Amino acid sequence: MAKEKNKQAEELVALTEWQKRNIEFLKKKKQQAEEERKLKEKLLSEKIPLQVDSEVVETKEISEEVKEKAVEEKVTSKLKKEKKIKAPKEKSLGQLAFQKALPVLLLASVVMVASIFMITPYSKVKKFSVKGNRRTNLEALVKASKVKTTDYWLTLLASPGPYEQAILRSNPWVKRVSITYEFPNHFQFNVTEFDIIAYAQVDGGYQPILENGKRVAKITQSELPKSFLILNLEDEQAIQDLVKRLSKLPKKLVKSIKSISLANSKTTPDLLLIEMQDGNLIRVPQSQVTVKLPYYQKLKKNLESGSIIDMEVGIYRTTEAIENQPETPIKSQQNDSDKKDEKSVDNQEQTRTEQTTETR
């Protein structure tokens, strides 16, 4: 018996999926037939009221044929109701196989469509636009990004970082940039530019100096704004240091400066002479620009035009007229007084001599 059971178990393992489902289906069918038989027997043993020629009679009073027909109808209707409630719809083997294969089919379809698209010219067609620019143009940005016509636009969509970094390295105007995508193949450069802090006067025009200390291509005098700052410094390192300091000051204060040059002071080598748009002058060490220069905004309300604010040591007001007044040398005054004293002594000696002569 044990050998037969083991043999049956091995045969069940060796059966295919379809054979297993078929065996299960036959078992259910056999079970259903048994249930129908039991239900018929139960109904036959009971009295079932039937409508025959508009009269209700008992099952004992009608023929066996009518009785069996009524029982079969009753059993069929009852089994249908139970089947609707209990028996879920069984999916065919074809439906199950299709559901399992559906994800694979979808993935294969996507890969096939993408492969076909990648070999078409449309995979390399890219459209560009720019937003936020004032002094740089779209052509310069595309060139700086090093985007090639042979590059796939999917590459630019997947990793825009290298293209953004290329723009920051090669375009001095760009402070920040990001590349955004719009369906189907449109890309936009979102740009933030550096501000111009000052201009350096060079041969044939003026060279803008940006807030990062870098210089860009020179412009003509006609391209200059109404008010602008001129830096008359030669040391490039000093210029970059000063520009960084000016970028930390209020923009309104920086715009009110007309020019900055060295004061050529022997005691303070980095002393600057700042000419303001209102005609006043400021002397301040470059190392103390960010600390002392903001005080000018409070002082200028009480200043007359042509005033000089000296911030070299402390802060005080003076004028060119006061500074140009000649100082009386102390030594010459002493010499004059000495000469006067000598003359008075000589006169006294002469008077004494005359008086002695007359007495004689």
Side-chain angles (χ1 to χ4, degrees):
M1 289 293 291
K3 288 182 179 180
E4 288 180 1
K5 287 183 179 180
N6 291 335
K7 188 175 180 182
Q8 288 178 358
E10 289 176 1
E11 287 177 356
L12 286 172
V13 172
L15 291 176
T16 62
E17 186 69 23
W18 182 87
Q19 288 173 332
K20 290 178 181 178
R21 288 182 176 278
N22 192 29
I23 290 170
E24 188 178 351
F25 173 73
L26 291 173
K27 285 182 180 179
K28 286 183 178 180
K29 192 172 181 181
K30 186 177 179 181
Q31 185 178 358
Q32 186 178 355
E34 184 67 22
E35 287 178 359
E36 288 180 2
R37 187 183 64 77
K38 290 179 179 179
L39 186 59
K40 282 181 181 180
E41 291 177 356
K42 185 179 179 182
L43 291 172
L44 286 170
S45 64
E46 296 175 356
K47 293 181 179 181
I48 303 173
L50 299 172
Q51 188 73 21
V52 181
D53 295 333
S54 303
E55 293 181 1
V56 178
V57 294
E58 298 296 329
T59 53
K60 292 180 180 179
E61 299 175 1
I62 62 175
S63 63
E64 290 296 328
E65 185 180 354
V66 175
K67 183 179 178 181
E68 287 180 5
K69 187 177 180 181
V71 169
E72 285 179 3
E73 288 178 357
K74 186 76 174 177
V75 170
T76 305
S77 63
K78 189 170 183 180
L79 288 173
K80 282 182 180 179
K81 289 179 182 178
E82 290 179 357
K83 200 171 185 181
K84 285 181 181 179
I85 298 170
K86 295 181 180 180
K89 292 182 179 179
E90 292 187 0
K91 296 179 181 179
S92 65
L93 293 174
Q95 289 177 330
L96 291 170
F98 177 76
Q99 286 182 350
K100 288 182 179 179
L102 185 60
V104 179
L105 292 172
L106 288 174
L107 180 61
S109 301
V110 171
V111 172
M112 182 179 67
V113 171
S115 301
I116 295 171
F117 176 76
M118 294 300 283
I119 62 176
T120 64
Y122 296 102
S123 62
K124 299 176 183 178
V125 176
K126 301 173 285 293
K127 295 180 181 179
F128 296 99
S129 63
V130 61
K131 182 182 179 182
N133 64 314
R134 292 175 294 168
R135 298 180 177 90
T136 188
N137 54 49
L138 178 60
E139 185 180 354
L141 290 170
V142 174
K143 185 178 179 180
S145 68
K146 297 182 180 180
V147 176
K148 300 176 183 177
T149 54
T150 56
D151 291 343
Y152 295 106
W153 61 263
L154 285 173
T155 305
L156 181 57
L157 172 62
S159 56
Y163 301 98
E164 295 169 350
Q165 291 300 320
I167 294 172
L168 293 173
R169 284 193 301 267
S170 58
N171 194 316
W173 286 104
V174 180
K175 187 176 185 178
R176 289 185 297 272
V177 62
S178 63
I179 301 174
T180 55
Y181 167 76
E182 292 180 11
F183 184 83
N185 59 347
H186 180 258
F187 295 90
Q188 180 172 277
F189 295 100
N190 301 294
V191 176
T192 302
E193 295 179 342
F194 285 107
D195 292 328
I196 297 175
I197 293 294
Y199 294 85
Q201 194 166 2
V202 295
D203 294 337
Y206 296 84
Q207 196 169 22
I209 303 173
L210 307 181
E211 59 181 305
N212 61 349
K214 293 182 179 179
R215 299 192 184 200
V216 292
K218 66 181 179 181
I219 60 175
T220 60
Q221 189 170 1
S222 60
E223 296 176 282
L224 288 169
K226 290 182 179 179
S227 60
F228 55 93
L229 167 60
I230 296 291
L231 287 184
N232 297 317
L233 302 178
E234 295 180 359
D235 187 354
E236 193 65 30
Q237 189 174 356
I239 289 174
Q240 294 206 5
D241 177 73
L242 178 59
V243 166
K244 288 178 183 178
R245 293 178 186 275
L246 291 175
S247 63
K248 296 177 183 178
L249 295 173
K251 290 185 177 180
K252 188 177 180 181
L253 176 60
V254 176
K255 286 182 178 179
S256 64
I257 301 173
K258 187 175 181 180
S259 67
I260 300 177
S261 56
L262 279 174
N264 297 321
S265 172
K266 293 180 181 179
T267 56
T268 309
D270 69 336
L271 187 66
L272 301 175
L273 182 62
I274 301 176
E275 183 181 358
M276 307 300 290
Q277 297 284 355
D278 55 14
N280 296 325
L281 295 175
I282 301 173
R283 296 193 194 102
V284 60
Q286 182 170 324
S287 58
Q288 299 180 24
V289 163
T290 53
V291 178
K292 291 187 174 182
L293 197 57
Y295 286 104
Y296 178 75
Q297 291 180 301
K298 298 178 180 180
L299 296 173
K300 68 178 183 178
K301 298 176 182 179
N302 303 320
L303 295 176
E304 297 178 0
S305 181
S307 297
I308 299 173
I309 307 299
D310 196 317
M311 298 180 177
E312 183 178 4
V313 180
I315 299 174
Y316 66 91
R317 183 185 70 85
T318 183
T319 62
E320 190 176 352
I322 294 173
E323 291 187 343
N324 289 336
Q325 283 182 357
E327 295 181 359
T328 305
I330 298 173
K331 189 175 181 180
S332 63
Q333 290 178 351
Q334 288 178 348
N335 290 337
D336 291 342
S337 62
D338 290 342
K339 287 180 181 179
K340 287 179 181 178
D341 292 339
E342 288 177 359
K343 286 181 180 179
S344 62
V345 171
D346 292 341
N347 290 333
Q348 289 176 0
E349 289 293 331
Q350 187 176 357
T351 304
R352 287 177 185 173
T353 304
E354 289 176 353
Q355 286 178 354
T356 306
T357 303
E358 287 177 357
T359 303
R360 285 178 182 177

